[in-house]
Each structure stands twice: as C-alpha cells, then as structure tokens.
Amino acid sequence: MLDALTVAVSAAALALAAWCGFAAFRGQPTKDWHFAGMAVVTLLALVQLVVGVVQLARGEQAGEGATIFVAYLAGAFAAVPAAGFLSLAERTRWGSATVAAGAVVLAVLEVRLHDIWGG
Amino acid sequence: MAGETGGTGKTGKTGGAAVNGATGETGGAVREAPAARLVGGPGLLLVWLYGVMSVGAVSRSVYQIATEYDRAPLAYTLSAIAAVVYAFITYTLFRGGETARKAALVCCAAELVGVLTVGTWTLVDPSAFPDATVWSDYGMGYLFIPVLLPVTGMLWLRRARR
C-alpha cells in the first residue's frame, strides 16, 4: 500500500469533513464547490483503489487477506459519493452534515486499510 | 415505491401545516403523508449512518461465516443478527410511514439491548469471544457508533411521530 496515498486520502477526507461540517454548522446545504471537493476526494480514493488492486496483482500480500483489503478499498471509494448523492436530495444543513459524516467514515476506513495492509 | 414516498414526503415537509389545516375531505389520504417521510432533515444523517453500519455489518458477517465459522460461532452469529437488524432499520427508514416508524423504533430498542448485552458480555467473559462482533465492547471497533445510533434513532423516531 502506498503510505503517501493513504495519508493524502485521509487528509483530504478530514478537510472535506471540516468544510461540510462548517456548512452544516452555518445551516447551509452543499453547494457546487462542495461537490468539487467531493470529486477530488473520490478521485484520490479511486487512485488508491487502482493502486491497491495493482499491487495485489503484482503479488504483494495484504496482512489480513486480499478479500478484506479489496472490500475496504471499495467501501472507501463509495463512502463520499454515496453521501454526496444523498445530499443532493436534501437541500438543508442535514445534507452537509451527511457528507461530513461520510468523509469521517472514509478517514476511519483509511486507518483500517493501513492496519489491514500492514497486518 | 421509493419515488412515491419521496413525492408525498415533499408535500408533507413543505406544506405540512396546510395539509393538517385542510378539512376532512381528503383526510384519509393525506393524514398518512406527513409521517411518511423519515429520511428528511436529521433523518437523512441517521439513514446514512444506518446504511454504513448495514454495509459494514453485513459484509463482515458474510465474510466471517463463509470463511471461518467454526472458529467463533457465537461471535459470528451475533454479528449476523446485528447485520440483519441494521439492514432492516435502514429499509424501514427509507420506506417511511407510520408502521415502518414503529417497526424501526422497536428495532432500535432491540439494537440498544443487543449492544448493551453483547458489550457487557464481551467485557465480563472475553473467553466466549475468540473474535470480535460488531457490538463487542459496546461497538468500540466502530467508534461507539453502535451504542450512540439507537439512542439518536429513537429520539428522532419519537419526534417524527404525528
């Protein structure tokens, strides 16, 4: 697992969580710029998914097993977009809060991914 | 079905007062409408977290039971029960309506009892659990969300009553 990538995804996710959390705090729904931020985070998670699968394909081992590793990679990739879609339907502060929660979930998944890869 | 609930939900949210103020001519149909929407407002955050827990718990228990059920049958069975409860609550929240609200309320209570029972059990008798469940140590492995979620859920579901 590329440690740099895990750190980058975690940092981006936490930044997104803070940003959307602030919007929720101010009672605002998610706006275009928030969706741009979600796109950036999702793109990073996608890169991580591809790199992770390529590393497995090249014969490297995940400490706790390849199945769990790939499942967490897929979950990490899906977390923020899923919350983003939900927030499209809820144009209140709770839409922003949901995206913030999705980003926190992603950050937690990154920590777990690190453990799973390292053993 | 989902589209229909969403549609009625919108009316309920924006025009709740007007609907309630309307006289009984259309009463039978609209009385159900305001209660139908459980996914709005704080409920959206709730259903998202329940969705995350469902995905986590279901995939965890499917993997555990498929690969190494004999190692910790009790822990894995409890994980599977937790998974079913989460999936069912997520479904009822999405479905909406008064019946679903009551069902979700009952399940949240059952979930809370489950978290407290399994949580205490894992602390008192760790030897019964060679591997963790979703609810071990009151859900510490899941940021204590398992113990906070049913409480929040019950508060929200009580408030959503009409």
Side-chain angles (χ1 to χ4, degrees):
Chain A
M1 191 70 216
L2 279 180
D3 280 345
L5 208 44
T6 308
V7 171
V9 176
S10 310
L14 289 176
L16 182 68
W19 189 17
C20 291
F22 183 61
F25 175 72
R26 298 212 304 178
Q28 294 172 339
T30 44
K31 301 200 174 89
D32 285 356
W33 283 109
H34 293 120
F35 284 98
M38 286 178 234
V40 170
V41 174
T42 305
L43 192 64
L44 282 171
L46 179 63
V47 171
Q48 186 186 41
L49 175 67
V50 171
V51 169
V53 170
V54 166
Q55 284 193 324
L56 282 179
R58 285 169 45 168
E60 293 188 51
Q61 301 288 324
E64 294 178 26
T67 314
I68 293 186
F69 182 65
V70 173
Y72 269 86
L73 278 176
F77 169 66
V80 166
F85 277 116
L86 283 177
S87 85
L88 279 176
E90 177 69 32
R91 308 307 297 155
T92 67
R93 64 163 58 189
W94 296 104
S96 305
T98 303
V99 175
V104 170
V105 166
L106 173 55
V108 173
L109 288 178
E110 290 302 313
V111 175
R112 281 289 294 139
L113 266 176
H114 183 75
D115 293 344
I116 290 169
W117 184 254
Chain B
M1 188 67 220
E4 193 197 334
T5 339
T8 47
K10 232 166 246 159
T11 8
K13 192 179 146 208
T14 49
V19 168
N20 288 341
T23 44
E25 334 167 349
T26 48
V30 275
R31 204 166 351 117
E32 195 77 68
R37 191 177 158 91
L38 293 176
V39 187
L44 181 76
L45 184 58
L46 195 65
V47 80
W48 160 249
L49 288 172
Y50 267 111
V52 169
M53 292 307 293
S54 299
V55 171
V58 168
S59 45
R60 173 180 194 146
S61 65
V62 165
Y63 176 79
Q64 287 174 331
I65 289 174
T67 54
E68 43 189 10
Y69 181 71
D70 293 337
R71 198 161 76 84
L74 177 63
Y76 296 164
T77 306
L78 288 171
S79 268
I81 294 171
V84 170
V85 172
Y86 284 122
F88 183 75
I89 295 177
T90 311
Y91 166 72
T92 50
L93 287 174
F94 261 118
R95 191 170 184 283
E98 184 60 18
T99 317
R101 192 189 66 81
K102 279 181 187 149
L105 204 50
V106 170
C107 286
C108 282
E111 181 193 342
L112 185 59
V113 171
V115 178
L116 296 178
T117 310
V118 176
T120 310
W121 194 352
T122 49
L123 290 180
V124 172
D125 183 16
S127 63
F129 294 88
D131 198 4
T133 77
V134 177
W135 290 343
S136 286
D137 302 334
Y138 305 110
M140 198 165 76
Y142 286 81
L143 297 178
F144 291 111
I145 289 177
V147 74
L148 298 174
L149 209 46
V151 178
T152 326
M154 283 192 285
L155 289 174
W156 161 243
L157 287 167
R158 276 175 60 89
R159 233 196 58 184
R161 180 175 51 193
R162 300 278 173 138

